[in-house]
Amino acid sequence: MSENKKSSTGAVMIVGGGIAGTQAALDLAESGFFVYVVESSSTIGGVMAQLDKTFPTNDCSMCILSPKLVECGRHLNIRLMTMSEVEKVEGEAGNFVVSVRERPRFVDAEKCVACGICAEKCPKKVKDLFNGGLGVRKAAYVEYPQAVPLKYVLDEQNCIYLKNGKCRACEKFCPTGAIDFSQKEKVHQIEVGSVVLAPGFKSFDPSSMDTYGYGKYPNVVSSLEFERILSASGPFEGHLERPSDRKAPEKIAWLQCVGSRDSHPNAHGYCSGVCCMYAIKEAVIAKEHAKQGLDTAIFFMDMRTYGKDFERYYDRARQEAGVRFIRSRIHSISTAAPGSDDLRIEYVDENGTMRVEIFDMVVLSTGLEVSRDARALAQRLAIELDSGGFAKTNSFSPIAASRPGIFVCGAFSGPKDIPSSVMEASAASAASAALLADSRNSLTRSKTYPPEDPSVHAEPRIGVFVCRCGVNIASVVDVPGVRDYARGLPNVAYVAENMFTCSQDTQKLIIEAIKEHRLNRIVVAACTPRTHEPLFQQTIREAGLNPYLFEFANIRDQDSWVHQGEPEKATAKAKDLVRMAVAKAALLEPIEKLQAPLIQTALVIGGGVAGMNAALNLSAQGFKTCLLEKRDELGGHALEVARTWKGEDVSAYVAELKQRVLADANVEVLTGAELVEAGGFVGQFTSLVKVGGGHREIRHGAVILATGAEAVEPVEYLYGQSQRVTRWHDLEKLFKKEPELLDSAEGVAFIQCVGSREPERPYCSKICCTTSIKQAIDLKEKKPDLDVYILYRDIRSYGAREDLYKKARGLGVLFIRYNADEKPVVAKTSVEGKEKLKIRVRDHVLGFPVELTVDYLNLATAIVPKGLDELARFFKVPLNQDGFFLEAHMKLRPVDFATDGVFVAGLAHYPKPLDESVAQAGAAAARAASVLSKPWVEVEPIVSIVNQELCIGCGMCEANCPFGAIRLQEVKGKGYRAETISASCKGCGVCAASCPQRAIDMKHFRDSQILAAIRVGAGGGA
Amino acid sequence: MSENFEPKALAFLCNWCSYAGADLAGVSRFQYPPTIRVLRTMCSGRVEPLYITEGLKSGFDGVFVFG
């Protein structure tokens, strides 16, 4: 082996195909790296695929996940390795060799067309674990209908032939000969530069908690099982029914913290971080499902709705949906009466009264834990785990595992929700890309095509391919009838009927037919364009046709599957849909792919921890970056913080970070700099910066907004009226400066939620509970006899921060809960001539007011956005109702905006602790890099086109465009005329619909094309 | 109007939401009347008043816009 420094391997292995793994794979593949996704089950998707809805937007989980899975499944530079596990990782960061063991699927994925006949014929019924064991599936199965890859699998543990050597029904009936019993286990050796571990979590198994009767009482279900009950594709088809008798429940209880915040041997001490929100969501959705009223009660200890828009969700559940919230931890569940399926819960309410309620169902809000398999994986890979069993990381590099070159993301490194997992996934991909920057684009593939056939401009010659989809279409729709009907339609030159139009061999048939019959437009009548249009577009492109000369007729998902009992009418509908598609196809035009110029540099606005991390990562990835800071010094709010809640030294970290940024040749730092103007769009932004008495123009391809937030100055609790009332880090700074003040103090109090969770600011500032608890612990450790009080509404020490809360209680910090309508009252007083503060608060345990006398009061005041309006205007991005930046999608695009090329990180997005800001900065850098790493901006060419002769320059289009993708430009002698910014256009057509002059049309969805389809849609023919 | 009148409807569905929803109805095998004809657009915002009047003129009894 050569002694020279070997360059790195331009490929990354992602272990785990849940939402985190999928996101990391897409980010890396889009940034010039080849990606292997190793998934132990038969499909990617993970737990998110099992969820019904997602909080706080109530989006259908599968609907938002599925497009990402499809994209991952068909990406040229992603190889999915399902049924596979990582055995070992040898080598070092940059050059690993990974051994992957692949179990047999017993189905040839190349041949399987997912018709489902194997499952239909399979005689063996098995408990369906995807549906929480509440339904059955066959031994030949597909995990769920939207699985990727959509290939069936034989369950080795249950297949009759594989167990007993008899049956083979699936093999006999499979129309494509895909069943292959000869498949054996294989071991692959794969070279990659880095590894991202995203094995996810497992829902805590409540069987070990015998007082809850899970497994004994059929109507006690886990929260994940309840998700399946609510799901339209679940065991009860979305009908809210209880398992014992399929009766619609009238009363359901949720018990929080099952397996979390629990010191029992089988349970976990940490808070699982997501259960409060999912329980509220399940209660709200269940109420929507219930036809005749549903009573829902959530039994909890602290309501931890600390994320963006969570508190509002909680407020709405309480005030509008009428979900009952009862602060009480339930010890046990029993049957309501002997032989009854109803359940009895005894509890003590907030007033100390013992109560009994009978419920039809009880949902256990089970926590998150690392599975035994994931722990074994960590051991094989020599990855350290923390006390909770999660991958050990530190706050300054929250995605780095203990072994260099191996990164972690998602719930494997601590309980967390989907957006945090997605952020970490992008951050892990940024870290991988920085490590492997020298080998970017070295292993990726690109596709080459023959030149396009110019015959498209001649008379339309349309080929129509009607799919039987096994029996999926043909058992309802008369497919030969539709085919023959299509033959008689105008411009149709060729028709065919296929068993599976999407199969590999049919692609060859389509190409041959195009050549033989000189076809120049293609219509496929089959499933849905949402999954299959790209496949057929690629096929016709291989035959020399422009991919936009293609039209789909959806005769499966929107016809045969939804009119199963009406074959004649379904056939008539199929004919109509084909006729409409043919009418539109005749008018289709070839569309060239658009490439807009790209300036491969980034601008990062805000020189705090988030901004500095984003700049350093982009620089390491090879992109020149300009870092803008308003103040004269880099560091932002982290300059005020001494240590993280884990005890890490923040001052030293920030000092090192500043040094690295200033020493980085790829990063230009502008301090004392202010953005005065900005414009442009993805690939070509121009920003004007006021710096050093002059102005600088900066041109950049992408921008990251990381301008932070600030703590509010309160007007309550004598703040500003007494020197003894401080906020945030002021008290610890005071004691550091004048230690004698602490020596002479006898009591210190903290008040939480000052200005947060109020009607005018209905959100939780997320970091205050942890900060105050940490400060309280420091005080107690320095001076054990000091009285320390924390006055709170709910303690929100989510995740592993729960350990800190426990520690504080152990040290004697007194926690007193107050209600929002009965806030503490602070007054000045003096005790034996010493000036003190008197705090009057109603104690929740004693049930009557107590009076505390303390020397100092520190207020955890709300974190508020500052000055984002102007930035929002410059870059055409929205703010939410609280004034923070509003990302493109709360769940799956947490650092993107709807406007391309603009990204967000840190507190400008929402209050968050340092480790989450660092992760989000990495994520924003990854997303920016996916734009900057290409030679140009690739634009989806379905964009608007303006007829400048008709345009009168009224500006309706510019005002209505949600993406800033159309603008008025001055045309000499004509005033203003609209102009499309193709790089930003999403093809929605709002501009076209709103143009009073009908001067705007949409490519591929032209007026003429849509009208042609409308005109032939209703009647029997054109 | 005959007693068996079955209105035939034209539906404009947004590619990103309602068209996906209609596909999901299929995947979930929800059954609904077979008298609806779907046109996919990239956004319900694409639908111009002209499309609606044209739909009614060409024989549809009603027009849906889902987005």
Side-chain angles (χ1 to χ4, degrees):
Chain A
M1 200 179 270
S2 153
E3 287 296 304
N4 292 337
K5 190 174 179 286
K6 203 176 152 198
S7 65
S8 61
T9 310
V12 178
M13 180 167 291
I14 314 281
V15 185
I19 182 57
T22 301
Q23 182 64 45
L26 288 170
D27 281 336
L28 282 161
E30 281 299 304
S31 305
F33 298 93
F34 192 83
V35 178
Y36 300 89
V37 176
V38 176
E39 165 59 48
S40 60
S41 77
S42 63
T43 170
I44 57 171
V47 177
M48 190 175 169
Q50 286 176 280
L51 304 182
D52 175 45
K53 300 285 193 301
T54 58
F55 59 79
T57 52
N58 287 356
D59 273 314
C60 155
S61 185
M62 185 54 85
C63 306
I64 57 174
L65 173 65
S66 172
K68 290 228 178 201
L69 300 182
V70 170
E71 199 183 341
C72 194
R74 66 168 181 239
H75 202 290
L76 195 59
N77 288 309
I78 297 176
R79 181 172 156 202
L80 294 187
M81 304 180 74
T82 49
M83 315 286 296
S84 297
E85 264 150 75
V86 168
E87 290 270 286
K88 60 181 175 194
V89 175
E90 292 169 307
E92 55 188 36
N95 298 97
F96 288 118
V97 179
V98 185
S99 307
V100 176
R101 186 175 295 273
E102 182 187 3
R103 302 188 311 280
R105 182 182 276 268
F106 300 109
V107 171
D108 183 341
E110 292 291 313
K111 291 183 184 161
C112 175
V113 292
C115 64
I117 289 171
C118 54
E120 197 185 306
K121 300 295 178 189
C122 175
K124 176 74 180 173
K125 284 185 180 167
V126 184
K127 218 179 200 190
D128 185 359
L129 294 180
F130 183 81
N131 276 325
L134 293 169
V136 289
R137 62 159 167 84
K138 297 295 187 63
Y141 72 109
V142 61
E143 197 106 319
Y144 55 94
Q146 300 91 331
V148 173
L150 189 57
K151 305 290 173 190
Y152 276 73
V153 54
L154 302 191
D155 174 350
E156 201 172 354
Q157 302 305 313
N158 290 293
C159 167
I160 297 170
Y161 175 70
L162 289 169
K163 302 263 305 178
N164 303 329
K166 280 190 192 136
C167 182
R168 304 180 87 134
C170 51
E171 190 181 34
K172 188 173 154 202
F173 289 99
C174 176
T176 62
I179 305 291
D180 180 1
F181 286 108
S182 72
Q183 283 185 0
K184 296 271 178 305
E185 195 170 81
K186 287 183 226 165
V187 176
H188 307 269
Q189 302 287 335
I190 294 168
E191 291 184 15
V192 294
S194 76
V195 177
V196 175
L197 301 179
F201 69 94
K202 151 183 175 299
S203 180
F204 175 80
D205 179 2
S207 306
S208 62
M209 317 192 90
D210 49 2
T211 59
Y212 287 156
Y214 175 80
K216 184 166 127 201
Y217 307 134
N219 296 328
V220 176
V221 299
S222 76
S223 45
L224 204 51
E225 288 160 9
F226 194 72
E227 292 284 338
R228 297 313 301 154
I229 290 176
L230 289 175
S231 172
S233 60
F236 304 158
E237 290 166 343
H239 300 295
L240 181 59
E241 292 166 356
R242 66 180 194 174
S244 70
D245 49 11
R246 304 286 299 268
K247 198 185 95 179
E250 287 164 27
K251 261 186 94 165
I252 308 180
W254 276 260
L255 310 193
Q256 297 307 103
C257 302
V258 175
S260 315
R261 301 184 70 187
D262 186 337
S263 52
H264 285 92
N266 292 321
H268 303 292
Y270 55 79
C271 158
S272 286
V274 298
C275 324
C276 282
M277 276 304 284
Y278 76 56
I280 300 176
K281 172 200 71 181
E282 289 179 354
V284 169
I285 303 289
K287 272 178 167 285
E288 285 176 7
H289 276 242
K291 288 184 183 73
Q292 61 275 31
L294 174 70
D295 177 76
T296 55
I298 297 179
F299 292 90
F300 70 104
M301 297 199 287
D302 292 282
M303 190 41 61
R304 295 190 166 171
T305 47
Y306 52 82
K308 194 171 185 175
D309 262 1
F310 291 5
E311 187 73 15
R312 268 199 182 81
Y313 197 80
Y314 173 35
D315 289 344
R316 279 203 307 272
R318 220 172 44 240
Q319 293 155 6
E320 292 168 28
V323 176
R324 291 191 290 142
F325 288 84
I326 301 164
R327 200 182 289 268
S328 183
R329 188 164 201 168
I330 305 303
H331 170 269
S332 55
I333 302 169
S334 55
T335 47
S340 167
D341 288 333
D342 298 345
L343 302 157
R344 174 191 158 96
I345 288 179
E346 277 182 30
Y347 66 94
V348 179
D349 72 10
E350 286 197 49
N351 300 321
T353 314
M354 190 72 162
R355 295 190 181 275
V356 175
E357 280 195 60
I358 306 297
F359 291 92
D360 297 312
M361 265 182 98
V362 176
V363 181
L364 304 178
S365 293
T366 48
L368 276 49
E369 65 182 14
V370 172
S371 71
R372 189 175 302 177
D373 288 347
R375 284 204 300 270
L377 172 74
Q379 197 171 15
R380 289 200 298 277
L381 270 54
I383 297 293
E384 278 180 53
L385 301 178
D386 67 15
S387 60
F390 296 95
K392 199 171 181 176
T393 58
N394 72 58
S395 302
F396 306 139
S397 43
I399 44 80
S402 59
R403 184 170 163 191
I406 299 188
F407 304 100
V408 292
C409 59
F412 180 49
S413 58
K416 58 181 71 78
D417 62 3
I418 293 168
S420 302
S421 297
V422 170
M423 265 184 238
E424 285 188 355
S426 292
S429 88
S432 291
L435 176 68
L436 309 177
D438 63 332
S439 57
R440 192 193 298 274
N441 294 325
S442 63
L443 294 175
T444 46
R445 301 178 291 198
S446 59
K447 197 136 182 141
T448 49
Y449 296 104
E452 284 183 22
D453 182 349
S455 75
V456 294
H457 302 293
E459 281 291 286
R461 290 179 60 81
I462 302 174
V464 181
F465 295 82
V466 188
C467 186
R468 299 181 68 86
C469 195
V471 294
N472 280 301
I473 295 171
S475 68
V476 178
V477 170
D478 171 15
V479 171
V482 175
R483 177 202 58 198
D484 293 341
Y485 173 77
R487 202 190 303 276
L489 292 171
N491 301 310
V492 171
Y494 178 79
V495 294
E497 165 193 346
N498 319 102
M499 179 56 86
F500 290 102
T501 312
C502 61
S503 68
Q504 286 290 327
D505 47 334
T506 309
Q507 304 315 297
K508 285 186 205 119
L509 292 178
I510 294 174
I511 293 173
E512 282 163 22
I514 290 172
K515 292 189 170 151
E516 192 182 332
H517 301 276
R518 292 177 293 111
L519 305 177
N520 55 21
R521 307 280 190 285
I522 299 299
V523 170
V524 169
C527 45
T528 169
R530 294 180 58 257
T531 55
H532 281 68
E533 191 173 52
L535 169 74
F536 296 119
Q537 285 186 314
Q538 197 178 323
T539 300
I540 72 166
R541 182 64 194 84
E542 278 166 25
L545 287 184
N546 181 282
Y548 292 92
L549 297 169
F550 177 82
E551 189 60 25
F552 222 111
N554 185 330
I555 63 166
R556 188 188 74 177
D557 299 42
Q558 297 181 12
D559 190 5
S560 69
W561 275 354
V562 290
H563 314 305
Q564 286 171 325
E566 298 170 283
E568 279 169 28
K569 287 180 176 168
T571 301
K573 178 172 174 179
K575 288 178 181 173
D576 285 357
L577 292 173
V578 168
R579 189 172 65 248
M580 290 162 79
V582 166
K584 185 179 173 193
L587 299 174
L588 290 176
E589 313 156 313
I591 306 177
E592 291 314 310
K593 283 246 181 247
L594 295 175
Q595 290 168 345
L598 168 73
I599 303 160
Q600 282 175 315
T601 62
L603 174 67
V604 177
I605 304 176
V609 163
M612 286 195 284
N613 270 290
L616 282 174
N617 179 272
L618 284 167
S619 158
Q621 291 206 47
F623 304 109
K624 286 217 173 296
T625 303
C626 181
L627 178 63
L628 215 67
E629 169 57 45
K630 207 175 210 165
R631 293 201 260 176
D632 293 326
E633 190 189 6
L634 293 173
H637 284 294
L639 293 169
E640 318 254 311
V641 184
R643 289 182 180 273
T644 65
W645 65 271
K646 287 182 183 170
E648 298 132 321
D649 186 342
V650 176
S651 329
Y653 168 69
V654 174
E656 187 229 312
L657 206 57
K658 274 160 67 178
Q659 202 182 1
R660 280 174 57 204
V661 168
L662 293 169
D664 195 314
N666 260 346
V667 181
E668 184 186 8
V669 178
L670 298 178
T671 47
E674 202 180 334
L675 188 71
V676 288
E677 212 181 295
F681 41 85
V682 59
Q684 306 171 65
F685 290 103
T686 306
S687 296
L688 193 64
V689 179
K690 197 165 127 193
V691 62
H695 284 85
R696 263 277 301 278
E697 192 185 86
I698 298 165
R699 294 178 36 83
H700 49 106
V703 59
I704 294 176
L705 309 178
T707 50
E710 61 192 0
V712 88
E713 294 254 354
V715 288
E716 319 160 77
Y717 305 126
L718 298 185
Y719 185 84
Q721 296 169 45
S722 166
Q723 299 282 330
R724 295 178 175 274
V725 182
T726 53
R727 61 173 185 150
W728 283 98
H729 302 286
D730 296 343
L731 186 62
E732 55 179 11
K733 275 193 264 178
L734 182 69
F735 286 158
K736 197 177 173 191
K737 210 170 119 201
E738 299 175 54
E740 63 281 5
L741 293 180
L742 177 59
D743 293 341
S744 63
E746 289 165 305
V748 170
F750 294 85
I751 298 181
Q752 302 301 109
C753 298
V754 180
S756 303
R757 304 181 63 193
E758 292 287 349
E760 73 276 12
R761 212 175 282 121
Y763 64 87
C764 164
S765 292
K766 195 175 186 178
I767 55 179
C768 338
C769 281
T770 310
T771 306
S772 294
I773 294 173
K774 170 84 175 82
Q775 292 181 1
I777 289 174
D778 289 346
L779 291 174
K780 268 291 189 191
E781 283 178 340
K782 275 189 197 130
K783 192 173 178 191
D785 63 340
L786 183 76
D787 290 331
V788 182
Y789 308 96
I790 294 185
L791 278 51
Y792 71 100
R793 288 172 59 189
D794 290 276
I795 286 293
R796 294 182 167 175
S797 49
Y798 61 97
R801 292 162 179 81
E802 185 68 13
D803 291 347
L804 215 58
Y805 181 27
K806 203 172 161 188
K807 184 178 174 185
R809 293 197 313 259
L811 287 171
V813 175
L814 289 173
F815 288 83
I816 301 173
R817 186 165 53 75
Y818 70 89
N819 282 325
D821 49 11
E822 222 177 337
K823 285 186 190 159
V825 178
V826 182
K828 288 183 194 172
T829 185
S830 73
V831 178
E832 292 159 9
K834 276 180 76 180
E835 193 191 318
K836 299 253 180 187
L837 295 167
K838 192 170 71 184
I839 306 172
R840 200 178 151 83
V841 60
R842 187 175 177 276
D843 183 278
H844 66 282
V845 179
L846 302 172
F848 55 77
V850 292
E851 220 169 69
L852 317 170
T853 307
V854 296
D855 300 86
Y856 296 96
L857 169 64
N858 199 51
L859 305 176
T861 66
I863 308 288
V864 293
K866 52 161 189 190
L868 303 182
D869 306 81
E870 202 165 52
L871 273 181
R873 197 161 41 78
F874 286 159
F875 292 105
K876 301 181 185 74
V877 294
L879 300 177
N880 75 0
Q881 36 198 339
D882 301 318
F884 293 101
F885 282 123
L886 178 62
E887 59 273 35
H889 191 277
M890 282 228 169
K891 267 320 201 207
L892 297 187
R893 296 182 65 194
V895 302
D896 301 11
F897 286 106
T899 306
D900 286 339
V902 189
F903 307 93
V904 62
L907 273 65
H909 162 266
Y910 191 69
K912 57 176 67 68
L914 191 129
D915 52 336
E916 291 171 30
S917 276
V918 174
Q920 203 180 13
R927 303 293 300 144
S930 72
V931 172
L932 299 176
S933 61
K934 300 192 175 81
W936 46 69
V937 180
E938 278 176 31
V939 182
E940 184 57 46
I942 301 177
V943 296
S944 63
I945 25 175
V946 182
N947 180 341
Q948 296 217 337
E949 296 305 311
L950 292 176
C951 176
I952 52 166
C954 71
M956 289 282 279
C957 50
E958 184 173 356
N960 284 322
C961 177
F963 307 105
I966 197 159
R967 63 180 170 192
L968 291 185
Q969 286 288 88
E970 199 160 6
V971 178
K972 230 178 180 176
K974 288 187 177 173
Y976 287 90
R977 291 290 179 266
E979 177 189 80
T980 302
I981 302 164
S982 299
S984 302
C985 180
K986 299 274 180 251
C988 71
V990 167
C991 54
S994 62
C995 177
Q997 284 293 101
R998 306 187 59 77
I1000 305 177
D1001 210 350
M1002 301 305 299
K1003 287 191 182 170
H1004 206 57
F1005 289 87
R1006 282 189 181 274
D1007 261 344
S1008 56
Q1009 296 162 349
I1010 293 174
L1011 287 169
I1014 294 172
R1015 285 176 186 138
V1016 302
Chain B
M1 199 176 283
S2 91
E3 267 179 46
N4 299 326
F5 171 65
E6 272 193 288
K8 197 167 180 179
L10 174 65
F12 292 96
L13 304 189
C14 159
N15 181 63
W16 308 106
C17 59
S18 41
Y19 195 90
D23 282 350
L24 183 67
V27 171
S28 311
R29 306 296 193 277
F30 291 157
Q31 304 298 302
Y32 56 82
T35 47
I36 191 163
R37 302 292 176 262
V38 169
L39 266 177
R40 181 172 66 113
T41 53
M42 294 308 277
C43 172
S44 51
R46 173 70 183 107
V47 179
E48 300 185 24
L50 176 72
Y51 299 173
I52 295 166
T53 53
E54 200 62 28
L56 297 172
K57 256 167 68 187
S58 61
F60 284 104
D61 301 301
V63 179
F64 286 109
V65 182
F66 292 105

